[in-house]
Amino acid sequence: MKKNSTVTKNSNGIFKQPKRTIGLDLGDRSSHYCMLDQAGNVILEHHLPTTPKAIQEVFRKIPHSRIALETGTHSPWVSRQLSQMGHEVIVAHARNVRLIGESSRKDDRLDARTLARLARIDPGLLGPVRHRSAKAQIHLTVIRARAALVSTRTALVNATRGLTKSYGERLRKCGTGQMNREIAKGLSQELRDALDPLLTEIESLNERIAEYDRRIEQIAKEGYPEVALLKQVKGVGTLIALTYVLTLDDPYRFRRSRDAGCFLGLRPGRRNSGMSEPQMHISKEGDRYLRTLMVQGAHYILGPFGEDSDLRRWGLKLAERGGKNAKKRAVVAVARKLAVLLHKLWVSGEVYEPLRNNHKVVCAVA
């Protein structure tokens, strides 16, 4: 491949030099990379197709180097492929490289340069993230595919109900999983004819979602025994437990269990300056889908069917403090504690005691 005119040195002997730093700006069709020497000089800039074959052909010729790239659709497989070649790969958190996204001179070539310079100066500036293993990713893809079908089903159910109301009629109440053509029997014939394709599609989605549910149960049973530990908590089913395990991938990536809540973006943000310490909303960093599942689990724990436990009592007490947002804050707080609790059960393998604190009080009184 012909190199760009911005290369400052002849490429002869480039790959015989000491360890380099490379910035790789991934695009959907093509990607740009920039190589710096130890002094920070640009010695090579070029582009390549974003395909496994092209990545292999270009980077297998380069001695082990530090390569920085941003999180994105292609970053999981690219980072794994580069690591297998022996390179030191740094996957930069997109929020930590706003120097790129908010630049007034945004350009793929300049983005690659910026990544390379930041990685050369201090990799910590990139907020490095760890991509999950290939095994965890393919199993998590099953869960994400199911979530896409659930989202589609919800949209179709809402559309069906809305169209019925606009005609002056109503469908009887039922869950989305029970929505089918039988529900429309009470409607006028002309409206039933109009909605029949929608209801048929909803029935099909219900069947596909049920298939995914069986597959998820099988995956958890055959490959992830730790899921059973997490399911000890009432309100945590196979879907939540398996998604938690697959998203975190390695429980020992955290120094302490409390870091799991921060990892999922369930801790309050912070913007302290001088004497000012404003109360912030949760950071909402990390995996959005798992955070949503944690909140769903918290709703169950605090709801009418939740089992009596230390977590439930703590959450209800927090919700009683008053204010129109007290219940919402309590749900988020319980979700954060739930994330911490699940991590603790995972790494310790302990038997879950719902009323552990209450048991301690009783023993102390006795």
Short mmCIF file of all heavy atoms in Angstrom, two decimals, residues 17-65:
data_model
loop_
_atom_site.label_atom_id
_atom_site.label_comp_id
_atom_site.label_asym_id
_atom_site.label_seq_id
_atom_site.Cartn_x
_atom_site.Cartn_y
_atom_site.Cartn_z
N GLN A 17 12.83 -1.04 14.55
CA GLN A 17 13.07 -0.08 15.61
C GLN A 17 12.45 -0.54 16.92
O GLN A 17 11.68 -1.50 16.96
CB GLN A 17 12.50 1.28 15.21
CG GLN A 17 13.12 1.86 13.94
CD GLN A 17 14.61 2.08 14.11
OE1 GLN A 17 15.07 2.49 15.16
NE2 GLN A 17 15.37 1.80 13.05
N PRO A 18 12.76 0.13 18.07
CA PRO A 18 12.15 -0.22 19.36
C PRO A 18 10.64 -0.06 19.32
O PRO A 18 10.07 0.43 18.36
CB PRO A 18 12.80 0.79 20.32
CG PRO A 18 14.08 1.18 19.67
CD PRO A 18 13.77 1.18 18.20
N LYS A 19 9.98 -0.47 20.41
CA LYS A 19 8.53 -0.52 20.49
C LYS A 19 7.87 0.79 20.09
O LYS A 19 8.26 1.87 20.53
CB LYS A 19 8.12 -0.89 21.92
CG LYS A 19 6.65 -1.20 22.07
CD LYS A 19 6.38 -1.73 23.46
CE LYS A 19 4.92 -2.11 23.60
NZ LYS A 19 4.63 -2.66 24.95
N ARG A 20 6.83 0.69 19.29
CA ARG A 20 6.11 1.85 18.78
C ARG A 20 4.79 2.04 19.50
O ARG A 20 4.29 1.14 20.17
CB ARG A 20 5.84 1.70 17.28
CG ARG A 20 7.04 1.34 16.45
CD ARG A 20 8.09 2.41 16.46
NE ARG A 20 9.18 2.11 15.54
CZ ARG A 20 10.26 2.88 15.41
NH1 ARG A 20 10.38 3.96 16.14
NH2 ARG A 20 11.21 2.54 14.56
N THR A 21 4.19 3.20 19.30
CA THR A 21 2.83 3.46 19.76
C THR A 21 1.98 3.75 18.54
O THR A 21 2.36 4.55 17.68
CB THR A 21 2.79 4.68 20.71
OG1 THR A 21 3.68 4.45 21.79
CG2 THR A 21 1.38 4.88 21.25
N ILE A 22 0.82 3.07 18.46
CA ILE A 22 -0.04 3.18 17.29
C ILE A 22 -1.44 3.59 17.71
O ILE A 22 -2.00 3.03 18.67
CB ILE A 22 -0.10 1.84 16.52
CG1 ILE A 22 1.30 1.41 16.09
CG2 ILE A 22 -1.03 1.94 15.32
CD1 ILE A 22 1.35 0.02 15.48
N GLY A 23 -2.01 4.57 17.02
CA GLY A 23 -3.40 4.94 17.21
C GLY A 23 -4.20 4.38 16.04
O GLY A 23 -3.82 4.59 14.88
N LEU A 24 -5.29 3.67 16.35
CA LEU A 24 -6.10 3.04 15.30
C LEU A 24 -7.52 3.56 15.41
O LEU A 24 -8.24 3.28 16.37
CB LEU A 24 -6.07 1.51 15.46
CG LEU A 24 -6.93 0.69 14.51
CD1 LEU A 24 -6.51 0.92 13.06
CD2 LEU A 24 -6.82 -0.80 14.85
N ASP A 25 -7.93 4.37 14.42
CA ASP A 25 -9.29 4.92 14.39
C ASP A 25 -10.15 3.99 13.54
O ASP A 25 -10.02 3.95 12.32
CB ASP A 25 -9.28 6.34 13.81
CG ASP A 25 -10.66 6.97 13.85
OD1 ASP A 25 -11.15 7.25 14.95
OD2 ASP A 25 -11.24 7.18 12.77
N LEU A 26 -11.04 3.25 14.20
CA LEU A 26 -11.85 2.25 13.51
C LEU A 26 -13.07 2.87 12.85
O LEU A 26 -13.83 3.61 13.47
CB LEU A 26 -12.31 1.17 14.50
CG LEU A 26 -11.22 0.31 15.12
CD1 LEU A 26 -11.83 -0.62 16.17
CD2 LEU A 26 -10.50 -0.51 14.05
N GLY A 27 -13.27 2.56 11.60
CA GLY A 27 -14.47 2.96 10.87
C GLY A 27 -15.25 1.72 10.47
O GLY A 27 -14.74 0.60 10.55
N ASP A 28 -16.46 1.93 9.99
CA ASP A 28 -17.28 0.78 9.64
C ASP A 28 -16.74 0.06 8.40
O ASP A 28 -16.74 -1.17 8.34
CB ASP A 28 -18.72 1.22 9.38
CG ASP A 28 -19.66 0.04 9.18
OD1 ASP A 28 -19.64 -0.87 10.04
OD2 ASP A 28 -20.39 0.02 8.18
N ARG A 29 -16.25 0.83 7.42
CA ARG A 29 -15.73 0.24 6.19
C ARG A 29 -14.20 0.24 6.16
O ARG A 29 -13.57 -0.72 5.73
CB ARG A 29 -16.26 1.01 4.98
CG ARG A 29 -17.77 0.96 4.83
CD ARG A 29 -18.24 -0.42 4.42
NE ARG A 29 -19.69 -0.45 4.20
CZ ARG A 29 -20.35 -1.54 3.85
NH1 ARG A 29 -19.72 -2.67 3.67
NH2 ARG A 29 -21.67 -1.49 3.70
N SER A 30 -13.61 1.35 6.57
CA SER A 30 -12.15 1.46 6.56
C SER A 30 -11.67 2.13 7.84
O SER A 30 -12.45 2.83 8.52
CB SER A 30 -11.67 2.27 5.34
OG SER A 30 -12.15 3.61 5.42
N SER A 31 -10.43 1.89 8.18
CA SER A 31 -9.85 2.43 9.41
C SER A 31 -8.52 3.09 9.10
O SER A 31 -7.85 2.74 8.12
CB SER A 31 -9.65 1.32 10.44
OG SER A 31 -10.87 0.67 10.73
N HIS A 32 -8.15 4.06 9.94
CA HIS A 32 -6.87 4.75 9.78
C HIS A 32 -5.98 4.45 10.98
O HIS A 32 -6.48 4.32 12.11
CB HIS A 32 -7.07 6.26 9.67
CG HIS A 32 -7.62 6.70 8.34
ND1 HIS A 32 -8.91 6.44 7.94
CD2 HIS A 32 -7.03 7.38 7.31
CE1 HIS A 32 -9.10 6.95 6.72
NE2 HIS A 32 -7.98 7.51 6.32
N TYR A 33 -4.69 4.34 10.74
CA TYR A 33 -3.76 4.15 11.84
C TYR A 33 -2.58 5.09 11.70
O TYR A 33 -2.21 5.51 10.61
CB TYR A 33 -3.29 2.70 11.95
CG TYR A 33 -2.47 2.18 10.79
CD1 TYR A 33 -1.07 2.21 10.82
CD2 TYR A 33 -3.09 1.62 9.67
CE1 TYR A 33 -0.33 1.71 9.77
CE2 TYR A 33 -2.35 1.12 8.61
CZ TYR A 33 -0.96 1.17 8.67
OH TYR A 33 -0.22 0.68 7.62
N CYS A 34 -2.01 5.43 12.85
CA CYS A 34 -0.86 6.35 12.90
C CYS A 34 0.17 5.74 13.84
O CYS A 34 -0.15 5.38 14.98
CB CYS A 34 -1.30 7.72 13.42
SG CYS A 34 0.07 8.86 13.75
N MET A 35 1.40 5.64 13.40
CA MET A 35 2.48 5.06 14.19
C MET A 35 3.46 6.15 14.63
O MET A 35 3.90 6.97 13.81
CB MET A 35 3.22 3.99 13.39
CG MET A 35 4.33 3.29 14.17
SD MET A 35 5.25 2.12 13.14
CE MET A 35 3.97 0.94 12.76
N LEU A 36 3.78 6.17 15.92
CA LEU A 36 4.73 7.12 16.48
C LEU A 36 5.97 6.39 16.96
O LEU A 36 5.87 5.26 17.46
CB LEU A 36 4.11 7.88 17.66
CG LEU A 36 2.80 8.62 17.44
CD1 LEU A 36 2.35 9.28 18.75
CD2 LEU A 36 2.92 9.66 16.34
N ASP A 37 7.13 7.06 16.85
CA ASP A 37 8.33 6.48 17.44
C ASP A 37 8.41 6.87 18.91
O ASP A 37 7.50 7.52 19.44
CB ASP A 37 9.58 6.91 16.67
CG ASP A 37 9.80 8.43 16.69
OD1 ASP A 37 9.20 9.12 17.56
OD2 ASP A 37 10.56 8.92 15.85
N GLN A 38 9.47 6.50 19.58
CA GLN A 38 9.59 6.76 21.01
C GLN A 38 9.66 8.25 21.33
O GLN A 38 9.33 8.67 22.43
CB GLN A 38 10.81 6.05 21.58
CG GLN A 38 10.64 4.52 21.64
CD GLN A 38 11.80 3.84 22.31
OE1 GLN A 38 12.95 4.24 22.11
NE2 GLN A 38 11.52 2.82 23.10
N ALA A 39 10.07 9.05 20.36
CA ALA A 39 10.15 10.50 20.56
C ALA A 39 8.83 11.19 20.25
O ALA A 39 8.71 12.41 20.45
CB ALA A 39 11.26 11.08 19.69
N GLY A 40 7.85 10.46 19.76
CA GLY A 40 6.55 11.05 19.45
C GLY A 40 6.44 11.54 18.03
O GLY A 40 5.46 12.23 17.68
N ASN A 41 7.38 11.20 17.17
CA ASN A 41 7.33 11.61 15.77
C ASN A 41 6.48 10.63 14.96
O ASN A 41 6.54 9.41 15.17
CB ASN A 41 8.73 11.66 15.17
CG ASN A 41 9.62 12.66 15.87
OD1 ASN A 41 9.20 13.80 16.12
ND2 ASN A 41 10.84 12.25 16.20
N VAL A 42 5.71 11.17 14.01
CA VAL A 42 4.91 10.33 13.13
C VAL A 42 5.82 9.67 12.11
O VAL A 42 6.51 10.36 11.36
CB VAL A 42 3.82 11.16 12.41
CG1 VAL A 42 3.05 10.27 11.44
CG2 VAL A 42 2.88 11.79 13.42
N ILE A 43 5.84 8.35 12.10
CA ILE A 43 6.69 7.65 11.15
C ILE A 43 5.89 6.89 10.09
O ILE A 43 6.44 6.47 9.08
CB ILE A 43 7.64 6.67 11.87
CG1 ILE A 43 6.85 5.68 12.73
CG2 ILE A 43 8.64 7.44 12.71
CD1 ILE A 43 7.74 4.64 13.37
N LEU A 44 4.59 6.72 10.33
CA LEU A 44 3.77 6.05 9.33
C LEU A 44 2.30 6.33 9.58
O LEU A 44 1.84 6.27 10.71
CB LEU A 44 4.01 4.53 9.37
CG LEU A 44 3.23 3.68 8.36
CD1 LEU A 44 3.65 4.03 6.94
CD2 LEU A 44 3.44 2.20 8.63
N GLU A 45 1.59 6.67 8.52
CA GLU A 45 0.14 6.85 8.58
C GLU A 45 -0.47 6.19 7.35
O GLU A 45 0.04 6.33 6.24
CB GLU A 45 -0.25 8.34 8.60
CG GLU A 45 0.07 9.04 9.90
CD GLU A 45 -0.41 10.49 9.89
OE1 GLU A 45 -0.17 11.16 8.87
OE2 GLU A 45 -1.00 10.94 10.88
N HIS A 46 -1.54 5.46 7.57
CA HIS A 46 -2.19 4.80 6.43
C HIS A 46 -3.60 4.38 6.82
O HIS A 46 -4.01 4.57 7.97
CB HIS A 46 -1.38 3.59 5.97
CG HIS A 46 -1.28 3.50 4.48
ND1 HIS A 46 -2.40 3.37 3.67
CD2 HIS A 46 -0.21 3.51 3.64
CE1 HIS A 46 -2.01 3.31 2.40
NE2 HIS A 46 -0.69 3.39 2.35
N HIS A 47 -4.29 3.80 5.86
CA HIS A 47 -5.63 3.29 6.12
C HIS A 47 -5.71 1.86 5.62
O HIS A 47 -4.87 1.40 4.82
CB HIS A 47 -6.69 4.16 5.43
CG HIS A 47 -6.55 4.23 3.95
ND1 HIS A 47 -7.09 3.30 3.10
CD2 HIS A 47 -5.90 5.13 3.15
CE1 HIS A 47 -6.80 3.61 1.85
NE2 HIS A 47 -6.08 4.71 1.84
N LEU A 48 -6.72 1.12 6.08
CA LEU A 48 -6.91 -0.26 5.70
C LEU A 48 -8.37 -0.62 5.84
O LEU A 48 -9.10 0.03 6.60
CB LEU A 48 -6.05 -1.19 6.56
CG LEU A 48 -6.48 -1.40 8.03
CD1 LEU A 48 -5.85 -2.65 8.59
CD2 LEU A 48 -6.11 -0.20 8.88
N PRO A 49 -8.86 -1.64 5.13
CA PRO A 49 -10.25 -2.07 5.30
C PRO A 49 -10.46 -2.62 6.71
O PRO A 49 -9.57 -3.24 7.28
CB PRO A 49 -10.41 -3.18 4.25
CG PRO A 49 -9.31 -2.94 3.27
CD PRO A 49 -8.18 -2.38 4.06
N THR A 50 -11.64 -2.40 7.25
CA THR A 50 -11.96 -2.91 8.58
C THR A 50 -12.45 -4.34 8.46
O THR A 50 -13.64 -4.64 8.59
CB THR A 50 -13.01 -2.02 9.27
OG1 THR A 50 -12.59 -0.65 9.20
CG2 THR A 50 -13.17 -2.39 10.74
N THR A 51 -11.52 -5.24 8.19
CA THR A 51 -11.82 -6.66 8.05
C THR A 51 -10.75 -7.46 8.79
O THR A 51 -9.60 -7.00 8.91
CB THR A 51 -11.84 -7.10 6.58
OG1 THR A 51 -10.52 -6.91 6.02
CG2 THR A 51 -12.85 -6.29 5.78
N PRO A 52 -11.07 -8.65 9.28
CA PRO A 52 -10.07 -9.48 9.95
C PRO A 52 -8.85 -9.76 9.08
O PRO A 52 -7.72 -9.77 9.57
CB PRO A 52 -10.84 -10.76 10.27
CG PRO A 52 -12.27 -10.33 10.38
CD PRO A 52 -12.42 -9.25 9.34
N LYS A 53 -9.08 -9.98 7.78
CA LYS A 53 -7.98 -10.28 6.89
C LYS A 53 -7.01 -9.10 6.77
O LYS A 53 -5.79 -9.27 6.86
CB LYS A 53 -8.52 -10.64 5.50
CG LYS A 53 -7.43 -10.99 4.49
CD LYS A 53 -8.04 -11.34 3.13
CE LYS A 53 -6.95 -11.65 2.12
NZ LYS A 53 -7.52 -11.98 0.78
N ALA A 54 -7.55 -7.89 6.60
CA ALA A 54 -6.70 -6.71 6.46
C ALA A 54 -5.94 -6.42 7.76
O ALA A 54 -4.75 -6.07 7.74
CB ALA A 54 -7.54 -5.50 6.07
N ILE A 55 -6.62 -6.55 8.90
CA ILE A 55 -5.97 -6.33 10.19
C ILE A 55 -4.81 -7.31 10.36
O ILE A 55 -3.71 -6.94 10.80
CB ILE A 55 -6.99 -6.53 11.35
CG1 ILE A 55 -8.07 -5.44 11.31
CG2 ILE A 55 -6.27 -6.52 12.70
CD1 ILE A 55 -7.61 -4.06 11.67
N GLN A 56 -5.05 -8.56 9.99
CA GLN A 56 -4.01 -9.59 10.10
C GLN A 56 -2.82 -9.27 9.21
O GLN A 56 -1.66 -9.36 9.64
CB GLN A 56 -4.60 -10.95 9.74
CG GLN A 56 -3.63 -12.11 9.84
CD GLN A 56 -3.29 -12.46 11.26
OE1 GLN A 56 -4.03 -12.13 12.18
NE2 GLN A 56 -2.15 -13.13 11.46
N GLU A 57 -3.08 -8.89 7.96
CA GLU A 57 -2.01 -8.64 7.00
C GLU A 57 -1.13 -7.46 7.41
O GLU A 57 0.08 -7.49 7.24
CB GLU A 57 -2.60 -8.39 5.61
CG GLU A 57 -3.18 -9.64 4.96
CD GLU A 57 -3.78 -9.34 3.60
OE1 GLU A 57 -3.91 -8.13 3.26
OE2 GLU A 57 -4.13 -10.31 2.88
N VAL A 58 -1.75 -6.39 7.95
CA VAL A 58 -0.99 -5.18 8.29
C VAL A 58 -0.24 -5.34 9.61
O VAL A 58 0.97 -5.08 9.69
CB VAL A 58 -1.93 -3.97 8.35
CG1 VAL A 58 -1.19 -2.75 8.91
CG2 VAL A 58 -2.49 -3.65 6.97
N PHE A 59 -0.91 -5.79 10.65
CA PHE A 59 -0.33 -5.73 11.99
C PHE A 59 0.50 -6.96 12.36
O PHE A 59 1.21 -6.93 13.36
CB PHE A 59 -1.43 -5.50 13.02
CG PHE A 59 -2.00 -4.11 12.95
CD1 PHE A 59 -3.19 -3.88 12.26
CD2 PHE A 59 -1.36 -3.04 13.54
CE1 PHE A 59 -3.72 -2.60 12.18
CE2 PHE A 59 -1.88 -1.76 13.45
CZ PHE A 59 -3.06 -1.53 12.78
N ARG A 60 0.44 -8.02 11.55
CA ARG A 60 1.31 -9.16 11.83
C ARG A 60 2.76 -8.83 11.48
O ARG A 60 3.68 -9.49 11.98
CB ARG A 60 0.84 -10.38 11.07
CG ARG A 60 1.06 -10.31 9.57
CD ARG A 60 0.58 -11.54 8.84
NE ARG A 60 0.76 -11.40 7.40
CZ ARG A 60 0.40 -12.32 6.51
NH1 ARG A 60 -0.15 -13.45 6.94
NH2 ARG A 60 0.60 -12.12 5.22
N LYS A 61 2.96 -7.84 10.59
CA LYS A 61 4.30 -7.46 10.16
C LYS A 61 4.98 -6.52 11.16
O LYS A 61 6.17 -6.27 11.07
CB LYS A 61 4.24 -6.77 8.80
CG LYS A 61 3.59 -7.60 7.71
CD LYS A 61 3.46 -6.77 6.43
CE LYS A 61 2.72 -7.53 5.34
NZ LYS A 61 2.51 -6.70 4.13
N ILE A 62 4.19 -5.98 12.08
CA ILE A 62 4.70 -5.00 13.03
C ILE A 62 5.10 -5.70 14.33
O ILE A 62 4.32 -6.48 14.88
CB ILE A 62 3.63 -3.93 13.33
CG1 ILE A 62 3.19 -3.25 12.02
CG2 ILE A 62 4.15 -2.90 14.32
CD1 ILE A 62 2.07 -2.26 12.20
N PRO A 63 6.32 -5.45 14.82
CA PRO A 63 6.70 -6.03 16.11
C PRO A 63 5.75 -5.56 17.21
O PRO A 63 5.03 -4.58 17.05
CB PRO A 63 8.11 -5.47 16.33
CG PRO A 63 8.60 -5.12 14.97
CD PRO A 63 7.40 -4.67 14.20
N HIS A 64 5.74 -6.27 18.31
CA HIS A 64 4.83 -5.97 19.41
C HIS A 64 4.85 -4.48 19.75
O HIS A 64 5.89 -3.92 20.09
CB HIS A 64 5.20 -6.80 20.64
CG HIS A 64 5.05 -8.27 20.40
ND1 HIS A 64 5.45 -9.22 21.30
CD2 HIS A 64 4.52 -8.96 19.33
CE1 HIS A 64 5.19 -10.43 20.81
NE2 HIS A 64 4.63 -10.30 19.62
N SER A 65 3.68 -3.86 19.66
CA SER A 65 3.54 -2.42 19.87
C SER A 65 2.37 -2.14 20.79
O SER A 65 1.54 -3.02 21.07
CB SER A 65 3.32 -1.70 18.53
OG SER A 65 4.33 -2.01 17.61
#
